[in-house]
Amino acid sequence: MSEYQPLSTAADLAALDADECLDGYRAGWDDATAPGSDKSKSYWHGWRNAQIDKGRLPPDEASAMFAREVVSEQRRTKMH
């Protein structure tokens, strides 16, 4: 189990390092093992999303709620 908790808001996402998220996503897509405490939350978030996208991890309530929050925030931003 990871030391990190899934993101819950768009603000949480904005606080992460985009390059580390991408590195983690690439690793997760390539089926790298779950990152440990030697990796950042940004990396872990990217890895987790790739594993969910590939179907290696089942989508859970946290990922569904987070996705809804981010999409909602993007829609609000586009409207203004």
Side-chain angles (χ1 to χ4, degrees), residues 25-77:
Y25 190 90
R26 287 178 177 147
W29 193 260
D30 290 339
D31 293 326
T33 59
S37 60
D38 62 325
K39 300 293 186 191
S40 69
K41 183 169 186 169
S42 300
Y43 184 97
W44 175 82
H45 174 72
W47 177 88
R48 181 175 187 271
N49 278 331
Q51 290 287 290
I52 291 170
D53 288 350
K54 281 190 82 171
R56 301 276 190 218
L57 287 177
D60 55 17
E61 187 60 27
S63 65
M65 288 175 56
F66 175 70
R68 284 191 296 272
E69 164 71 20
V70 170
V71 169
S72 178
E73 181 66 24
Q74 288 174 342
R75 287 181 179 156
R76 278 193 299 273
T77 302

Side-chain angles (χ1 to χ4, degrees), residues 7 12-24 40-46:
L7 303 185
D12 290 341
L13 179 61
L16 296 183
D17 182 288
D19 290 334
E20 289 181 20
C21 284
L22 183 56
D23 289 345
S40 69
K41 183 169 186 169
S42 300
Y43 184 97
W44 175 82
H45 174 72

